[in-house]
Amino acid sequence: MVHNGIIENHRSLRESLEMSSSAFLSQTDTEVIPHLIARQLRLGLPIVEAILRTTTQLRGSYALAILHDDAPDRIFAVRNGSPLVLGIGNHGHYIASDVTAILPYTRKVVFLEDGHLAILQGGGIELKTADRHENLPLTGRIVSVDWSPAMAEKQGYEHFMLKEIYEQPQGLRTPARMDRPIPTGW
C-alpha cells in the first residue's frame, strides 16, 4: 500500500487494533490502514468491500494505492482530500499524486474525485463510488492533457502565484495539524 496524506484518527484506530492483537512495526499513521483492511478480510469480505469499509473509518486526507495477494492483477486506488490522478496508456495504466509524474507515459488522465474507488486492471479501469458502491462511467471523465511538464506543475494556471491564490480556500477548509509546537520568535 502507498499512502499520501494524514490519517487524523490513527491513534484511536491503532489503540483499537492493538487491543485485538494487531502487531505494529512502525509509528506511522499509514500502518493502521492495512491492519484495518486485514480485519475486514478476516471477517470474510472481498477485497473491494474491505477497502471501502476501511475508508469509512478514516478521518483526514488520503490517496491510497493498494495491492493484495488475492488480486495480484489489480491495483485499487481511493482518495479523500489528497490528489490522485489515473493515467490511461496504450501499454498500461498509471497512478500518481500529480499529473507531471505520468506525462512521459500518457496524456489521457482521470482526476479521481473524493469518495471514488478505481480498480486498475490490464484491460481497463473500473470506477465506483465508495459510499454506494455504484459503478461509474469513465466516459466524460477522461481528460487529454496537452500541458508540458512545466505547465502541468502549474495545473493550468498561467503563473504559480495565481495557482496558489486559487488554492487558498482549500487551505482554509483543511484543519491545521497541531501535533507539533509552533515556533516562537518569528
Side-chain angles (χ1 to χ4, degrees):
M1 188 194 78
V2 178
H3 167 224
N4 180 19
I6 299 168
I7 305 303
E8 296 168 1
N9 62 335
H10 73 95
R11 286 188 183 103
S12 61
L13 292 171
R14 175 187 288 268
E15 289 169 4
S16 171
L17 288 162
E18 287 174 334
M19 288 193 313
S20 65
S21 302
S22 290
F24 285 82
L25 301 174
S26 75
Q27 296 298 313
T28 66
D29 60 338
T30 300
E31 192 178 357
V32 300
I33 301 167
H35 282 280
L36 290 169
I37 293 170
R39 176 191 278 177
Q40 298 299 324
L41 291 170
R42 283 191 301 273
L43 294 173
L45 295 177
I47 185 65
V48 170
E49 184 66 27
I51 292 167
L52 293 175
R53 287 238 183 130
T54 293
T55 61
T56 66
Q57 299 175 66
L58 304 177
R59 301 291 171 260
S61 64
Y62 53 84
L64 307 174
I66 302 164
L67 298 169
H68 192 270
D69 288 341
D70 292 346
D73 60 336
R74 292 182 274 172
I75 299 174
F76 305 93
V78 64
R79 78 162 274 212
N80 181 59
S82 291
L84 193 58
V85 61
L86 311 174
I88 302 171
N90 293 330
H91 303 289
H93 305 300
Y94 308 91
I95 301 174
S97 61
D98 191 311
V99 74
T100 56
I102 58 177
L103 283 180
Y105 310 104
T106 184
R107 299 294 175 141
K108 291 182 180 179
V109 300
V110 173
F111 293 98
L112 201 61
E113 295 178 28
D114 284 348
H116 286 180
L117 169 82
I119 304 169
L120 288 76
Q121 202 167 355
I125 298 174
E126 184 181 347
L127 194 58
K128 294 180 172 290
T129 60
D131 57 350
R132 292 177 298 211
H133 309 215
E134 295 174 351
N135 288 332
L136 298 170
L138 273 181
T139 55
R141 297 177 191 278
I142 300 171
V143 177
S144 292
V145 178
D146 59 357
W147 309 333
S148 69
M151 290 170 60
E153 290 176 10
K154 295 186 282 186
Q155 297 178 346
Y157 293 100
E158 188 175 345
H159 305 284
F160 281 108
M161 183 179 287
L162 189 59
K163 175 182 177 269
E164 290 178 4
I165 288 169
Y166 279 94
E167 288 174 344
Q168 291 305 306
Q170 179 59 34
L172 292 172
R173 284 190 294 270
T174 304
R177 289 186 55 204
M178 299 304 290
D179 60 344
R180 282 179 248 155
I182 299 171
T184 58
W186 289 74

